[in-house]
Amino acid sequence: MQAVTPMKWNFKPELVCLFGQPVAENPTQHMIEAAFRHHGLDWRYVTMEVAPEQLEAAVAGMRAMGFRGGNCTIPHKVAVQKYLDRIGESASLIGAVNCIVRQDDLLVGENTDGKGFLQSLRDLQEPRGRRVMMFGAGGAARAIAVELALAGVEHIQIWNRSEARGRELVDLLHQRTDVAADFHSWQQDAPIDASVDVLVNATSIGLFPQVDERIPLIEKDLRENLIVADVIPNPPQTRLIREARSRGCQVLDGLGMLVNQGVLGFRYWTGVDPDPAIMRAALEEVFGT
Ligand SMILES: NC(=O)c1ccc[n+]([C@@H]2O[C@H](COP(=O)([O-])OP(=O)(O)OC[C@H]3O[C@@H](n4cnc5c(N)ncnc54)[C@H](OP(=O)(O)O)[C@@H]3O)[C@@H](O)[C@H]2O)c1
């Protein structure tokens, strides 16, 4: 009889996850797993619906089961901080965490949203010295405004529907960064000042299924030398992006930010620099762009 050579098998993949509610329409798992396959990593990214009252237990479960990290999204980005061991510098400035990284036995909270946006912008223009007009003052806007400020933009206009949130963001920028910023109450169509270099929609206007909702701005002010960026990933070709492109602006869709924040998370968890083209292609497959 032939002797059987003992072999060592490892059936245990490394795990990362996404917590949110609702979360089923979030395409991050599809994007990250495409990169795991491309780079030959035996890792899994699992999307989990977690209610706010279960967040503490979910983070404890992550520790108990040895997860290497993950992402968190609405409504957990602020609340998750109290269950983590340490918060990174820009996440602490922004006041929200969207990326969790296990370092030895510690869970560290980072924010990659704003850095992801910045990377997309840098593909078109260096932000230092530029003037920015931003719609919104929620989580995405805070992350983007803080990173733009740290990257040396000269001035940021914050336009927001609710005054309290808008002023809170301007106060944060004044207290914690060197950027000049001012608040604009956003109750009607906003004029775009001729000195603005970059216009950013960081509100949820245009997100599926409200794809036809119009952003209140004066469309004829969209001019050729303006960069227009939208954070909305679904659909990527938003009404704003289509309008800006038809008027000759350079445009950045929300997939760029989503890919670049994913690249940063991937690198934090695995130590591998993923190929952003593979990740973008996975998203385009989903959204049919
Ligand atoms: N591409 C990416 O990688 C990426 C990453 C993160 C987030 N996002 C997207 O960013 C968007 C915002 O997320 P968030 O976390 O910042 O949400 P959030 O904290 O709930 O903030 C929403 C913002 O949108 C404003 N807003 C919503 N509906 C509006 C309307 N009809 N008119 C005027 N203002 C309106 C809100 O104004 P008020 O303060 O007046 O309510 C607030 O400033 C979401 O659509 C999300 O998908 C994309």
Side-chain angles (χ1 to χ4, degrees), residues 118 120-127 130 197-198 225 227:
L118 205 60
S120 297
L121 179 60
R122 283 202 161 111
D123 291 342
L124 286 186
Q125 188 174 78
E126 175 51 41
R130 304 295 175 180
D197 301 296
V198 182
N225 55 349
I227 292 180

Side-chain angles (χ1 to χ4, degrees), residues 151-199:
V153 299
E154 187 181 284
H155 185 264
I156 307 182
Q157 296 178 6
I158 302 292
W159 291 73
N160 203 53
R161 181 180 60 180
S162 87
E163 180 160 348
R165 262 223 281 200
R167 289 202 184 277
E168 193 186 320
L169 175 50
V170 169
D171 289 347
L172 166 80
L173 293 170
H174 284 159
Q175 284 159 14
R176 309 288 296 271
T177 77
D178 295 331
V179 79
D182 47 34
F183 170 72
H184 298 256
S185 179
W186 194 23
Q187 312 304 333
Q188 53 197 11
D189 289 3
I192 306 168
D193 195 277
S195 65
V196 168
D197 301 296
V198 182
L199 175 94

Side-chain angles (χ1 to χ4, degrees), residues 267-286:
R267 191 183 299 146
Y268 273 132
W269 304 320
T270 67
V272 172
D273 258 326
D275 182 347
I278 296 293
M279 296 163 73
R280 173 127 194 155
L283 292 177
E284 286 179 354
E285 191 182 283
V286 170

Side-chain angles (χ1 to χ4, degrees), residues 74 77 113 136-141 160-162 165 186 202-205 207 213 231-233 254 257-258 261:
I74 288 171
K77 288 184 183 183
D113 278 336
N160 203 53
R161 181 180 60 180
S162 87
R165 262 223 281 200
W186 194 23
T203 72
S204 40
I205 301 175
L207 186 66
E213 196 179 346
V231 297
I232 299 298
M257 175 177 171
L258 190 58
Q261 63 82 26

Side-chain angles (χ1 to χ4, degrees), residues 12-284:
K12 189 186 85 60
E14 298 296 338
L15 295 174
V16 278
C17 60
L18 168 67
F19 294 158
Q21 186 178 56
V23 80
E25 283 187 16
N26 189 308
T28 308
Q29 172 176 324
H30 187 69
M31 171 180 81
I32 298 286
E33 293 221 314
F36 285 156
R37 283 193 299 278
H38 179 77
H39 294 282
L41 295 170
D42 187 18
W43 286 55
R44 301 288 183 279
Y45 185 105
V46 217
T47 302
M48 297 173 175
E49 179 99 12
V50 173
E53 60 276 18
Q54 293 298 336
L55 182 61
E56 183 174 9
V59 176
M62 223 178 139
R63 288 180 196 275
M65 290 184 277
F67 276 69
R68 298 288 293 269
N71 289 121
C72 59
T73 185
I74 288 171
H76 304 314
K77 288 184 183 183
V78 174
V80 76
Q81 295 179 95
K82 57 181 176 290
Y83 307 122
L84 303 177
D85 302 299
R86 195 151 55 75
I87 306 296
E89 197 183 336
S90 68
S92 136
L93 210 56
I94 293 161
V97 161
N98 77 319
C99 182
I100 302 169
V101 185
R102 201 180 85 202
Q103 289 177 0
D104 300 321
D105 288 334
L106 302 184
L107 292 181
V108 180
E110 301 285 354
N111 195 307
T112 56
D113 278 336
K115 291 188 182 73
F117 175 85
L118 205 60
Q119 182 55 46
S120 297
L121 179 60
R122 283 202 161 111
D123 291 342
L124 286 186
Q125 188 174 78
E126 175 51 41
R128 181 166 294 280
R130 304 295 175 180
R131 297 178 73 86
V132 177
M133 174 174 185
M134 181 179 300
F135 296 122
R142 283 172 79 94
I144 292 169
V146 164
E147 297 293 351
L148 286 171
L150 297 178
V153 299
E154 187 181 284
H155 185 264
I156 307 182
Q157 296 178 6
I158 302 292
W159 291 73
N160 203 53
R161 181 180 60 180
S162 87
E163 180 160 348
R165 262 223 281 200
R167 289 202 184 277
E168 193 186 320
L169 175 50
V170 169
D171 289 347
L172 166 80
L173 293 170
H174 284 159
Q175 284 159 14
R176 309 288 296 271
T177 77
D178 295 331
V179 79
D182 47 34
F183 170 72
H184 298 256
S185 179
W186 194 23
Q187 312 304 333
Q188 53 197 11
D189 289 3
I192 306 168
D193 195 277
S195 65
V196 168
D197 301 296
V198 182
L199 175 94
V200 185
N201 172 42
T203 72
S204 40
I205 301 175
L207 186 66
F208 180 85
Q210 264 82 43
V211 296
D212 291 324
E213 196 179 346
R214 176 178 166 271
I215 297 197
L217 61 77
I218 297 176
E219 279 88 355
K220 70 173 173 49
D221 290 352
L222 292 165
R223 53 192 149 72
E224 275 184 10
N225 55 349
L226 192 65
I227 292 180
V228 175
D230 203 331
V231 297
I232 299 298
N234 178 20
Q237 299 304 310
T238 56
R239 184 171 170 165
L240 173 65
I241 290 284
R242 286 182 277 123
E243 181 72 41
R245 185 181 283 123
S246 76
R247 291 174 183 272
C249 306
Q250 286 184 283
V251 296
L252 286 171
D253 68 29
L255 293 191
M257 175 177 171
L258 190 58
V259 167
N260 285 315
Q261 63 82 26
V263 165
L264 293 166
F266 196 103
R267 191 183 299 146
Y268 273 132
W269 304 320
T270 67
V272 172
D273 258 326
D275 182 347
I278 296 293
M279 296 163 73
R280 173 127 194 155
L283 292 177
E284 286 179 354

